[in-house]
Amino acid sequence: MTNLISVRGLRVTGRRADGGDVPIVRDVSLEARQGEVLALVGESGSGKTTIALALMGHARAGCGISGGEIEVAGHRVDRLDAAGLRAFRGRTISYVAQNAGSAFNPALTLHRQVIEPALTHWVLPRREAERRAVELFRAMALPHPETIGARYPHQLSGGQLQRLMAAMALITEPEVVVFDEPTTALDVTTQIEVLEAFRAVLAHRGITGVYVTHDLAVVAQVADRAVVLRHGAVCESDATAMVLERPRTAYARQLVEACHLPVRPARPAAAPADGAAAEPVLTVSDVIVGYGRVDARGLPARRILDGIDLSVPQGRILGIIGESGCGKSTLARTIAGLQPPAAGTLRFRGDILAGGVGHRTPEQRRRLQIVAQNADLVLNPAWTVGAILERVLEFFHGLRGVAARAEALRLLDLVHLPHALFDRRPMELSGGQKQRVNFARALAARPDLVLCDEITAALDPVVAAAILELMSELQATLGLSCVFITHDLHALRAVCDRVAVLLGGHVVEQCEAASLMDGAHHPYTQLLVSSVPEMRAGWLDEVAARRRATTPGPVPPAADGGCPFTPRCGLRVEGVCDRVPPPIINSPDGQRIACHLPPDELPVLPRT
Amino acid sequence: MSAVGAFLSRGGRHGAMFAARLAPGPRRALGLLAVWFVIAFAGPLLAPHAPGEIVDRDVFAGVSLHHWLGTDYLGRDLGSRLLWGVRYTVLICTLSTLLSCCCGIVLGIAATATSVWVERVLGRLMDGLLSIPSLLFALLVIAAAGESIPALILTMGVIYMPGSYRTSRALALRIARADYVTAALARGEGRAFVILREILPNMTGPLLSDIGLRFVYAVLLLSNLSFLGLGVQPPLVDLGSLVRENVLGLAYGAPAVVVPTLVLALLTVGINLALDGRRP
Ligand code: SF4
C-alpha cells in the first residue's frame, strides 16, 4: 500500500529579529499509510507542532517552509498556491487544536460552527451536513446528540468541546486529521473518554491520523507508529511498540524513563525524639472558603472548599490530588494566607495561623513558604536571580553584601544551579531552571513547611522528573515538611508520603501514598487511579470495557449536602448518597474515607 | 536618564545596563531626544546672530552663503532664530511632559495601590479633564492667566496628565496582579517596596513609550498655540511662532516658512517612528 502522507527532507526556518535564519525543523522525513495513526512525540521546542502544521501547508508567522517535499493524499502541499491550500485545508486535511475552549466562537451555536467547514467547501447541502453532524456527535459519544448542537460553547465541558471540535474536523470526511495535543489540557478521567471517541471514529472511517503529543502513555493507546523528535530533527521513528519497549536512542530512552518515575518507598512516621507525640506542622480544620451571599453564620453560599480537615506531620510530604476545579489551588492560597477562610482554623506548630497574610507574624511568614506553579510569573522579570535571592535573605535574616551573596550562591548549589546564573534575569533561564530558582527563593527563608502548588505542571516530563528528584532530595536533607499539590498521579507517588484526594471542595479520602495503588479505596480515588494512562497498548480497551460495565444510571437531580461524587459514582446508593453527607470511615492503618458504602464494599484496586 | 534607571532598578545597578535592557523603540527615541537636547542647549551658543537682530534689508531672502537658511519677514537671520526656536519648543515641551507624566504616574499607581475610593474619585476627575478639548482648555486658561512660559508649561502639564494617569494605572493594575507581587506580599513586604521595586521596574518600558508620545503631543499643541498667537511671545521664538510670523512667505516659497515646518515635522514624526520600532 502506498503512503498517504510522505514527507521528505522537510526544513522549516524562522527569522530572527536581526534578519538571521534559525532552523526550527531540520531534514525531517516521515510517512504514514492510509488508516494509520502517526504520533509526533517530543518536548516543547522539538518542532512537533511545526511539522504538523507544515503538513497543512502552514507555517507560523515569521517562519517559512524552506525545503523538502510534503505529500499528503496525492497533493504536493509545498507547491500549492493560496487558493489550492484553501481548498486542501479542511477538505483533505483538518486540524483539532489543543484548546477547544478558545477555538470556538463563544457567540455562535456549536451547530453552526461544526457544519461550517462542510458548507464552505460545498461538500454537503446544509440539511445533509446537519444530519452528519448529529451522526458524528453520536459516534463521539456526546450526550444528547440531537440537541447538543443548539448550545453555546460555554455550556459544555472541556472534554465535550474537544470532541465537538473533532466532529467539526471530520464533517468534510477528510483523509487526514491532525490532532495537536488534544487531551493535554484535560483531566485524566475526561481524557479517557475523549481518546476512546477519537480512536473509534478514526478506525471506523479509515482516516489517517497525525497525533502530536508529549505523553508517551497516550501514544501507546492511539498510535501505530511513533516519531520521536528532538530539536527539530527526527530522533527515532518506528512502530509504537518498538519505540516504547525498546527505544534505541539515548534520548528516547530518557523520555520513556521519565514516564516511569520511581515510587517513593513507604517511610514510617518520624519517631519523635523526646518521646512526646509529634505535633503536626500544619493542621487545617473545618476550613470553608467560598464566595457569594453570606448566611447567618457567616458562611458563603457557594463553597470552593467545604469542611477541609488535613494535617501535615513533621518531616513528611502530604500530597493533595484532584482534577481541575476541585479547589486545590484555593487550598494552597488559603494556607498561604492569600485567601482567608470563611470558617475553620489553621494551626501552625500549634499556634493559630491568621487567615490573612497581613495578620501573621513575620516568623510565621518565614516558616511557611510557597513555591508556585508558574515560575514565569512568580519571578520578577526585572530582577536578577541573585537579587531575588538576596532580597529574601535580607528581608528575613538581615543578610547584606558579601554574606548575602555567599548565602545566595550556597542556595544555588543546593538546587544544583551553576553560579553563573547569579547575574541572569528570569527571562534568560529555561523552565526547569526557573523552577529551581523559585525553589531556592523559598528555601532562602529557611522554612519549616513548603507549599508546592503544581510545580511540575508547566514542565516537560524529563525536566519535571529532575525537579521531583530535587524536591525529594531537599526534603530529606533539610528535613522539610511539604504540601505537594498536583493533578499528576505519577508525580504524587514519586514524592509523597501521604495523600489527600480532593473532589468538589471535599477531602474524600486520605491514605498513605504507598497504599494508593492497591487495597480498598473511595470510588473516586479508584476512578482517578485507574484513569492514569499506562504505557502499554491495550490499556485503553481494558479500562473502557470496565467502565462500560459500571456506567452509573441517569444523574439524580442535584441536591445539597450529599457526596460530591454522586453524579459519577457507579456504586451510589440512591436516595442516600445524594442527600446525606457521607460519614468518614477511619481504618486502623490511617486511611480515612468519606463514603456511605461499608468498608468491605468499597472498590478494590488491583495491585500493579 | 541613567540616574532614573539606577533608581528604578537597583537590581540593574547601572544605568547603562538599564538602557541596554530597554526595548529598541524607547531606546532609539531616547537617543533621538538626546540629539534634540544637544541642539536645544548648544544651538543658540553657535548661532551667528542674535535672534532679534535685523541683518539684511532683504526680507524672505533665499538660501545664501551669509544666511544659510535665508531671512525672515523682517530681514532677520532665520538660522539663528530657528536654533532659538528649537530651544524653546524642546524645553517647554519637555518640562510640561515631565510634569504631566510625573503626576500621572504617581496618581495612577496611587489609584491601584490605595483604597477603591481614591481610584473612583481620581477616575472621575481624570475622565472629566479628558472630556474637555485640549486646545479649548488651553485657550481658556491662557486667556485668563495671561501668556507666560510657566503658565504654558502648567497648562500643558494638566492637559496631558489624564492620559498618562490612565496608561500607568492600567499597567500598574496588570502588574499588581502578577504572581511575583503576590509573592512579595506573602513575604510581608511593605507597600513602598512593592511599588518601587516590584511594580515600577516592570512598567518602565511601556511608560517610556508613553512619555515619548506625550512629548510629541505637547510639541504639536504648543505649536498650535503659538501659531494662534497665544504661545511663546515675541521677542522669544518657538517653532510654531516662526511659522506664524513668516506665513506670508508662503507666497514666495521662502525657506523662512518651509524650514521651521520641516523641523517641526522632523521632531514629531522622528520620535513617533523611533517609538514605533521602525528604523527612522
Ligand atoms: S458516598 Fe455514595 S456516591 Fe459517594 S462515593 Fe460513596 S457510594 Fe459513591
Side-chain angles (χ1 to χ4, degrees):
Chain A
M1 205 156 50
T2 55
N3 289 323
L4 195 72
I5 300 175
S6 100
V7 174
R8 280 175 299 275
L10 174 67
R11 278 172 52 83
V12 180
T13 42
R15 194 159 287 272
R16 273 203 305 258
D18 60 13
D21 280 343
V22 208
I24 298 169
V25 167
R26 283 165 302 183
D27 194 25
V28 164
S29 302
L30 41 91
E31 46 210 32
R33 278 192 234 127
Q34 161 89 44
E36 268 188 342
V37 177
L38 175 77
L40 299 177
V41 194
E43 309 197 311
S44 47
S46 63
K48 54 189 192 300
T49 299
T50 312
I51 296 173
L53 291 176
L55 288 178
M56 310 182 48
H58 180 71
R60 274 179 274 211
C63 308
I65 298 170
S66 54
E69 298 171 8
I70 309 168
E71 198 176 323
V72 175
H75 298 269
R76 272 299 297 273
V77 180
D78 47 320
R79 294 214 189 121
L80 287 177
D81 58 0
L85 276 176
R86 256 201 314 279
F88 167 73
R89 292 180 191 150
R91 179 81 185 84
T92 314
I93 190 168
S94 57
Y95 181 73
V96 179
Q98 169 167 2
N99 198 341
S102 56
F104 278 112
N105 183 339
L108 300 178
T109 62
L110 288 161
H111 227 121
R112 274 189 64 180
Q113 304 186 56
V114 168
I115 63 172
E116 193 184 324
L119 302 184
T120 20
H121 287 284
W122 305 100
V123 191
L124 288 173
R126 178 175 289 274
R127 180 131 328 142
E128 276 291 291
E130 280 172 5
R131 213 179 40 72
R132 187 183 289 170
V134 171
E135 223 171 80
L136 282 167
F137 294 161
R138 192 166 291 131
M140 288 283 173
L142 284 162
H144 314 298
E146 279 82 18
T147 53
I148 195 170
R151 298 174 143 211
Y152 288 90
H154 70 270
Q155 297 173 311
L156 300 180
S157 71
Q160 290 171 338
L161 285 178
Q162 207 70 52
R163 280 179 280 168
L164 277 161
M165 182 144 189
M168 175 159 84
L170 290 167
I171 195 126
T172 54
E173 307 215 307
E175 296 183 61
V176 180
V177 179
V178 175
F179 294 94
D180 191 357
E181 302 253 17
T183 60
T184 306
L186 303 178
D187 287 320
V188 278
T189 50
T190 325
Q191 169 170 288
I192 291 190
E193 299 159 20
V194 175
L195 282 182
E196 217 208 332
F198 284 176
R199 215 180 43 164
V201 171
L202 289 187
H204 184 235
R205 289 163 202 250
I207 294 169
T208 311
V210 174
Y211 201 101
V212 177
T213 184
H214 68 278
D215 188 344
L216 287 176
V218 169
V219 173
Q221 308 315 317
V222 296
D224 303 298
R225 299 172 55 76
V227 176
V228 179
L229 296 159
R230 187 183 199 195
H231 303 324
V234 174
C235 174
E236 187 161 333
S237 166
D238 211 329
T240 305
M242 291 299 284
V243 173
L244 296 186
E245 280 153 33
R246 262 163 299 193
R248 278 167 290 136
T249 51
Y251 177 68
R253 224 170 294 138
Q254 210 182 339
L255 272 188
V256 171
E257 272 164 23
C259 293
H260 294 294
L261 290 175
V263 176
R264 188 181 178 90
R267 300 180 308 158
D274 52 0
E279 188 184 17
V281 182
L282 177 80
T283 327
V284 177
S285 28
D286 286 323
V287 160
I288 296 177
V289 179
Y291 57 94
R293 197 139 26 101
V294 178
D295 67 9
R297 286 179 300 153
L299 301 180
R302 298 184 176 265
R303 312 246 170 109
I304 306 171
L305 297 177
D306 199 351
I308 298 281
D309 258 310
L310 289 172
S311 66
V312 186
Q314 166 65 35
R316 310 254 285 167
I317 304 187
L318 171 73
I320 293 176
I321 191 165
E323 302 186 320
S324 49
C326 72
K328 53 189 191 300
S329 292
T330 307
L331 181 58
R333 288 177 60 83
T334 304
I335 296 175
L338 300 169
Q339 170 105 48
T345 47
L346 299 167
R347 278 174 186 277
F348 190 72
R349 293 216 176 283
D351 301 327
I352 294 274
L353 203 54
V357 72
H359 301 290
R360 297 183 178 174
T361 66
E363 190 60 11
Q364 283 173 339
R365 285 198 296 258
R366 175 183 77 74
R367 289 162 69 165
L368 198 165
Q369 288 289 314
I370 182 162
V371 180
Q373 166 178 7
N374 204 333
D376 285 325
L377 305 176
V378 168
L379 304 176
N380 191 331
W383 291 32
T384 62
V385 169
I388 289 171
L389 297 178
E390 283 177 349
R391 174 62 200 174
V392 179
L393 292 169
E394 183 189 332
F395 188 83
F396 285 124
H397 307 297
L399 291 180
R400 281 165 199 275
V402 186
R405 189 185 164 91
E407 179 66 13
L409 289 175
R410 196 186 65 83
L411 286 166
L412 287 182
D413 284 335
L414 209 55
V415 295
H416 306 302
L417 284 177
H419 288 186
L421 295 190
F422 190 86
D423 288 316
R424 301 272 181 82
R425 280 168 216 282
M427 256 201 333
E428 305 163 53
L429 308 186
S430 71
Q433 286 174 329
K434 271 183 260 190
Q435 201 54 279
R436 281 165 196 264
V437 173
N438 200 1
F439 240 108
R441 177 170 66 176
L443 294 179
R446 293 183 209 134
D448 293 352
L449 179 72
V450 180
L451 205 58
C452 305
D453 184 10
E454 294 273 19
I455 50 171
T456 55
L459 302 176
D460 285 318
V462 174
V463 181
I467 292 282
L468 291 177
E469 199 177 308
L470 171 75
M471 184 178 157
S472 299
E473 178 194 320
L474 290 175
Q475 194 271 334
T477 51
L478 305 176
L480 295 172
S481 314
C482 300
V483 177
F484 184 80
I485 293 172
T486 186
H487 68 278
D488 178 356
L489 201 76
H490 289 301
L492 188 86
R493 293 179 65 210
V495 293
C496 295
D497 299 303
R498 203 172 160 74
V499 178
V501 182
L502 211 58
L503 171 68
H506 296 263
V507 176
V508 294
E509 171 165 0
Q510 285 189 58
C511 67
E512 294 300 307
S515 67
L516 193 60
M517 303 302 278
D518 51 40
H521 283 283
H522 188 278
Y524 175 64
T525 314
Q526 190 253 348
L527 175 73
L528 205 58
V529 169
S530 65
S531 298
V532 178
E534 284 170 28
M535 230 177 58
R536 60 187 167 84
W539 170 84
L540 186 58
D541 302 293
E542 289 168 27
V543 177
R546 236 182 294 141
R547 293 272 151 97
R548 268 192 294 275
T550 60
T551 333
V555 179
D560 273 351
C563 166
F565 193 49
T566 316
R568 290 198 279 163
C569 185
L571 299 169
R572 65 167 176 251
V573 190
E574 303 290 345
V576 177
C577 291
D578 52 338
R579 304 241 168 78
V580 187
I584 293 177
I585 312 164
N586 283 300
S587 73
D589 54 357
Q591 197 178 21
R592 292 160 63 90
I593 296 179
C595 180
H596 282 296
L597 292 178
D600 52 346
E601 281 178 36
L602 287 172
V604 176
L605 282 162
R607 181 174 273 281
T608 45
Chain B
M1 211 53 229
S2 66
V4 179
F7 164 73
L8 289 179
S9 67
R10 205 178 57 185
R13 291 202 176 89
H14 307 294
M17 267 179 74
F18 166 78
R21 278 198 303 131
L22 277 182
R27 197 167 8 151
R28 272 199 303 270
L30 277 180
L32 205 59
L33 258 182
V35 173
W36 283 106
F37 267 108
V38 170
I39 298 176
F41 280 107
L45 307 179
L46 305 176
H49 302 279
E53 184 188 358
I54 296 177
V55 291
D56 206 322
R57 307 273 293 283
D58 195 7
V59 297
F60 291 133
V63 175
S64 68
L65 214 55
H66 285 288
H67 308 296
W68 290 359
L69 296 175
T71 58
D72 75 350
Y73 76 117
L74 289 177
R76 295 175 291 197
D77 180 43
L78 187 76
S80 309
R81 287 182 68 76
L82 195 65
L83 288 171
W84 281 94
V86 168
R87 168 180 278 192
Y88 281 103
T89 297
V90 168
L91 288 189
I92 292 175
C93 291
T94 305
L95 288 179
S96 75
T97 308
L98 283 182
L99 180 71
S100 63
C101 290
C102 285
C103 295
I105 292 168
V106 168
L107 291 179
I109 292 178
T112 46
T114 54
S115 78
V116 192
W117 280 106
V118 175
E119 180 174 8
R120 285 195 191 150
V121 171
L122 274 176
R124 295 300 142 255
L125 214 70
M126 294 294 172
D127 285 353
L129 268 179
L130 213 54
S131 65
I132 307 173
S134 52
L135 200 55
L136 215 64
F137 182 73
L139 292 179
L140 209 75
V141 174
I142 289 163
E147 297 132 348
S148 70
I149 287 183
L152 269 178
I153 293 176
L154 214 64
T155 317
M156 295 193 347
V158 171
I159 286 175
Y160 289 117
M161 184 172 58
S164 171
Y165 163 83
R166 284 199 159 187
T167 316
S168 38
R169 181 180 149 268
L171 280 171
L173 210 58
R174 186 170 56 78
I175 297 170
R177 289 211 201 94
D179 286 353
Y180 48 83
V181 175
T182 314
L185 291 173
R187 194 158 68 222
E189 299 277 9
R191 190 179 279 172
F193 178 90
V194 171
I195 291 175
L196 288 180
R197 302 286 313 282
E198 302 276 356
I199 297 183
L200 253 185
N202 289 297
M203 290 171 64
T204 38
L207 270 188
L208 285 177
S209 298
D210 182 65
I211 294 174
L213 222 54
R214 258 165 241 297
F215 175 77
V216 172
Y217 293 155
V219 171
L220 293 176
L221 180 64
L222 178 68
S223 308
N224 273 338
L225 286 174
S226 293
F227 189 81
L228 295 175
L230 290 163
V232 176
Q233 299 301 315
L236 305 178
V237 282
D238 77 328
L239 292 175
S241 55
L242 271 181
V243 177
R244 180 185 60 122
E245 63 193 22
N246 293 313
V247 77
L248 283 177
L250 211 54
Y252 315 106
V257 60
V258 178
V259 175
T261 319
L262 283 181
V263 171
L264 205 52
L266 203 66
L267 176 60
T268 52
V269 178
I271 290 179
N272 215 332
L273 283 184
L275 281 173
D276 264 1
R278 288 188 208 103
R279 315 228 164 247

